[in-house]
Amino acid sequence: MPSSVHSQDQDQSMLDAQPEQTQFENEEFEMEKKSIVVLPGATETAASFQFEGEDHTLGNALRYVIMKNPSVEFCGYTIPHPSEAKMNIRIQTYDSTTAVEALEKGLDDLMDLCDVVTDKFTTARDEFNAAQQDRMTA
């Protein structure tokens, strides 16, 4: 058996042996430590929020999802300084909704989008693994 195939089998068996929940439980624990602060100068329709412990990964995705909301006039994010683990997001809405509601909707929509991506990835991975098993047994 070639060594590259052997190492792939070893890698797969190591992944299978690890409980899946451990990784997500650690992430949930870390998320509890993070906070969102409304920055001074906020009004009902325009506010800036500071996310502790976040960076471009959340900032860009959240900005994109919030801008899909037709009640949002403007949304942008910034990382104040690369050495600080903080991300600021500014939301301005039309009078039909508030900045806080737009943020909440954006977070919910982003979570829903991540759930869809996770489901599609899991399905494709399972189909791939089944095809690999069929190929190896044939």
Side-chain angles (χ1 to χ4, degrees):
M1 179 182 296
S3 62
S4 62
V5 173
H6 180 65
S7 66
Q8 288 175 350
D9 290 340
Q10 282 180 324
D11 291 345
Q12 185 60 42
S13 65
M14 287 173 42
L15 287 174
D16 292 340
Q18 296 175 349
E20 293 181 23
Q21 292 296 339
T22 306
Q23 178 185 5
F24 295 112
E25 288 170 358
N26 290 340
E27 289 177 15
E28 289 174 4
F29 178 74
E30 290 174 12
M31 290 183 74
E32 291 174 8
K33 295 179 184 178
K34 297 176 184 178
S35 65
I36 302 171
V37 177
V38 179
L39 297 177
T43 65
E44 283 288 313
T45 60
S48 294
F49 305 90
Q50 186 170 74
F51 288 70
E52 304 243 354
E54 293 298 342
D55 58 13
H56 293 285
T57 304
L58 178 66
N60 194 34
L62 188 57
R63 179 204 58 80
Y64 174 80
V65 170
I66 290 173
M67 280 304 299
K68 290 288 192 182
N69 183 345
S71 299
V72 174
E73 182 177 12
F74 170 83
C75 183
Y77 83 97
T78 184
I79 305 298
H81 195 276
S83 67
E84 293 183 78
K86 295 180 181 176
M87 183 267 300
N88 295 344
I89 192 161
R90 173 82 176 169
I91 302 172
Q92 290 175 216
T93 64
Y94 297 107
D95 291 334
S96 58
T97 190
T98 68
V100 172
E101 289 170 347
L103 177 61
E104 289 173 349
K105 181 178 179 349
L107 290 168
D108 288 339
D109 291 350
L110 185 56
M111 284 183 3
D112 291 343
L113 178 63
C114 289
D115 289 342
V116 169
V117 170
T118 300
D119 291 343
K120 288 188 178 218
F121 171 79
T122 302
T123 301
R125 182 198 61 199
D126 293 346
E127 289 173 359
F128 175 79
N129 287 341
Q132 292 296 330
Q133 286 294 341
D134 291 345
R135 198 176 98 206
M136 293 179 87
T137 57

